[in-house]
Amino acid sequence: MTKKYDSDERSLVQKYAQEIASSTAAIIGHNIIITDVDGKIIGASQSERIGQLHEASLEVARTGAASETTREQARQFRGTLPGVTFPIQNLNGRTVGTMALTGSPDEVRPFGLIVKKQIEILLRERELYVYSSSRESILQDLIHDLETFVPGVGNETMLQSRAIELGYDPSLFYIPIVVDLYQFGRYALEVRRECRDGDSGQVEMRILNIKKAVLAEMRGIFSHPRTVSSVSGNNRFVTLHAVKDADHAAPQHEKAALAQVVELSQNLLDRLEDYGLKAAIGIGSPAHSVAALSLSCQEARKALMLGKKFKQRPDVYCIADFRMEDVISTIDAPVRIRFIKGLTGNLRGKSDWPELEKTIRAWCESGFSLVETARRLHIHRNTLIYRLEKIRRLTGEDIHSFRTCFNLYFALLLGQYSGPAAKESAAPPAEE
């Protein structure tokens, strides 16, 4: 990474040297050159000097100290005219080149420090941008490698070392959060329609800036200094949220931490509303090691998939609330179909199947209470009794048996998972 970063620094100086030299010379009225650390001129207001050696810059680049060259001294150096020479330094204070103004030292000295500072400000802005872009790319690679890590196959020690370089703290436990922008393709299409006659580059930059804003909001909400957040491709974002010292972790503390993460995730959904965006969020289990974090990242994605499959609306989905659905997702399709047909086959062919399905679901979720089930369904108690009797008659099962009700409820979940996904809506359905 260091070699690439050094290369980026050199390329930045090379890329902007000529532009800086030309524009600055026009303002101050003195010729200017910019060299690399080897004294080679890479930018000059007199373009014929590019590629020549400026010998006076060698000592400045080596020592990091400015120097002045009189007319007499200039005769002793190759490619050197009278003037002042200053080092150009990067963010870390390392000399990456030099800048020289041509003229009498007394005349150009007042401009020298100002021009040096302006060059360094411009290059450091570019340097920060390159560093930020490189870091984001490295973060994305780390998240990907964490999600695809296979214990016993991958090198956990090496992966942990990479994670530590980017802020991961193995003494903490982490909860992964996956954010999926909801129907972002439609949002991007609307932006392109609004800017149909505009520059395509500006349109794409606007879309990119929205994603950057989402990432910034996520980092602002999940703000623990050891939390790691990144874009994860396909309009998704991942946060590895640092919680507390793993040595003192306990089940009740983990539940409290999960509850806090759910609350923070709801806050993020509210913030995204300000941008006209909606999202679904998946949350994994607390993890105390790289291997456990890998599995938990997969859980977060599974929670996102299951939540969207079963709820089909923007919301926060925690894997702890989808354990049964998680098991269902591992069952082979032929087994699911046989179970569904065996338990509810005689019900599904009836014209009032939607009502019977809602009745079974409400009956089970209400703890087999006639009063509560009727209230949930907004029907009279006698109507509920009629429906329950019909379900008993068609299935041949005792509707008051826990085992029967569990099997029927499980069959409904299997059917929901096996069936085609309903069209996703941007708003939750009205309560029944």
Side-chain angles (χ1 to χ4, degrees):
M1 188 171 100
T2 303
K3 289 182 179 179
K4 180 181 185 304
Y5 189 55
D6 290 344
S7 174
D8 288 336
E9 289 176 342
R10 290 193 295 271
S11 65
L12 280 174
V13 178
Q14 188 87 33
K15 180 177 181 180
Y16 295 105
Q18 182 56 34
E19 176 187 341
I20 294 171
S22 299
S23 59
T24 305
I27 295 173
I28 65 176
H30 292 278
N31 288 322
I32 180 174
I33 64 168
I34 296 174
T35 78
D36 59 19
V37 291
D38 297 320
K40 179 182 176 181
I41 298 175
I42 55 177
S45 53
Q46 296 174 313
S47 57
E48 64 272 13
R49 298 192 67 187
I50 293 177
Q52 297 178 3
L53 175 67
H54 185 253
E55 195 169 355
S57 291
L58 293 173
E59 184 67 11
V60 173
R62 186 183 69 81
T63 64
S67 71
E68 296 182 357
T69 306
T70 64
R71 188 175 298 278
E72 292 74 19
Q73 291 171 325
R75 295 192 186 101
Q76 302 173 20
F77 294 115
R78 283 186 296 165
T80 302
L81 298 174
V84 294
T85 305
F86 287 86
I88 300 173
Q89 296 175 327
N90 68 357
L91 279 170
N92 298 320
R94 186 165 66 252
T95 299
V96 293
T98 72
M99 177 279 301
L101 289 177
T102 301
S104 166
D106 290 337
E107 184 180 354
V108 297
R109 188 183 302 113
F111 299 104
L113 192 58
I114 296 174
V115 174
K116 163 189 162 66
K117 291 298 183 184
Q118 289 300 315
I119 292 174
E120 288 178 340
I121 288 172
L122 176 60
L123 290 177
R124 288 174 186 183
E125 286 178 352
R126 302 297 192 275
E127 187 180 348
L128 283 171
Y129 175 78
V130 170
Y131 173 76
S132 175
S133 299
S134 298
R135 178 178 170 82
E136 291 300 335
S137 177
I138 294 168
L139 278 171
Q140 288 186 46
D141 290 342
L142 174 67
I143 297 295
H144 174 268
D145 291 347
L146 273 170
E147 292 179 328
T148 58
F149 175 75
V150 179
V153 177
N155 189 325
E156 184 173 354
T157 302
M158 184 177 295
L159 184 57
Q160 178 173 289
S161 296
R162 289 173 54 202
I164 289 173
E165 287 183 6
L166 295 169
Y168 173 79
D169 186 342
S171 71
L172 306 179
F173 76 79
Y174 284 76
I175 299 176
I177 301 107
V178 179
V179 179
D180 184 26
L181 294 185
Y182 212 80
Q183 299 178 339
F184 189 75
R186 295 185 185 181
Y187 177 88
L189 182 60
E190 287 300 319
V191 171
R192 292 188 177 96
R193 284 175 178 169
E194 291 175 10
C195 308
R196 185 171 295 172
D197 298 328
D199 177 43
S200 60
Q202 291 181 347
V203 173
E204 296 308 315
M205 183 59 68
R206 180 176 166 185
I207 294 172
L208 178 61
N209 286 339
I210 285 291
K211 292 184 179 182
K212 288 182 177 179
V214 172
L215 184 59
E217 292 289 352
M218 192 166 69
R219 287 172 171 166
I221 289 175
F222 299 100
S223 57
H224 190 289
R226 291 299 185 176
T227 288
V228 178
S229 302
S230 176
V231 178
S232 184
N234 295 324
N235 306 321
R236 287 189 175 180
F237 304 79
V238 175
T239 285
L240 307 179
H241 180 56
V243 180
K244 68 184 298 295
D245 191 329
D247 292 338
H248 299 98
Q252 62 269 29
H253 295 149
E254 291 188 357
K255 287 184 178 179
L258 275 172
Q260 182 186 42
V261 167
V262 170
E263 182 179 351
L264 292 173
S265 298
Q266 291 287 358
N267 293 342
L268 178 58
L269 291 184
D270 293 340
R271 294 291 298 126
L272 295 183
E273 289 275 0
D274 296 339
Y275 295 90
L277 297 171
K278 296 185 182 295
I281 298 178
I283 300 172
S285 303
H288 306 89
S289 67
V290 167
L293 185 56
S294 174
L295 293 174
S296 189
C297 285
Q298 296 171 33
E299 283 188 334
R301 288 189 178 273
K302 178 64 75 70
L304 184 64
M305 182 275 287
L306 293 172
K308 293 178 72 174
K309 179 74 175 179
F310 284 93
K311 302 298 184 181
Q312 295 170 347
R313 65 175 184 268
D315 208 341
V316 177
Y317 304 119
C318 187
I319 192 63
D321 300 324
F322 288 88
R323 294 300 184 190
M324 185 180 294
E325 291 84 351
D326 190 10
V327 171
I328 286 173
S329 69
T330 66
I331 301 174
D332 291 338
V335 178
R336 292 199 303 266
I337 293 171
R338 285 198 301 271
F339 192 94
I340 294 168
K341 186 175 181 180
L343 269 294
T344 61
N346 290 339
L347 298 174
R348 292 176 179 271
K350 303 301 178 182
S351 60
D352 58 349
W353 161 241
E355 291 180 351
L356 297 178
E357 181 182 20
K358 291 178 181 178
T359 301
I360 294 171
R361 191 180 297 275
W363 174 248
C364 295
E365 293 176 353
S366 299
F368 319 125
S369 166
L370 287 172
V371 174
E372 178 60 20
T373 304
R375 187 193 67 79
R376 283 196 179 198
L377 296 174
H378 307 294
I379 60 175
H380 192 273
R381 185 172 180 272
N382 290 340
T383 303
L384 173 59
I385 293 173
Y386 168 79
R387 289 186 186 177
L388 292 175
E389 174 58 25
K390 184 173 184 178
I391 292 169
R392 184 203 63 77
R393 177 167 44 83
L394 291 173
T395 62
E397 301 287 345
D398 179 7
I399 196 65
H400 296 281
S401 163
F402 173 81
R403 185 179 182 84
T404 295
C405 291
F406 177 83
N407 286 340
L408 286 171
Y409 191 80
F410 197 66
L412 295 186
L413 292 178
L414 285 170
Q416 191 173 357
Y417 183 82
S418 301
K423 185 177 180 181
E424 295 173 341
S425 62
E431 278 191 24
E432 297 174 350

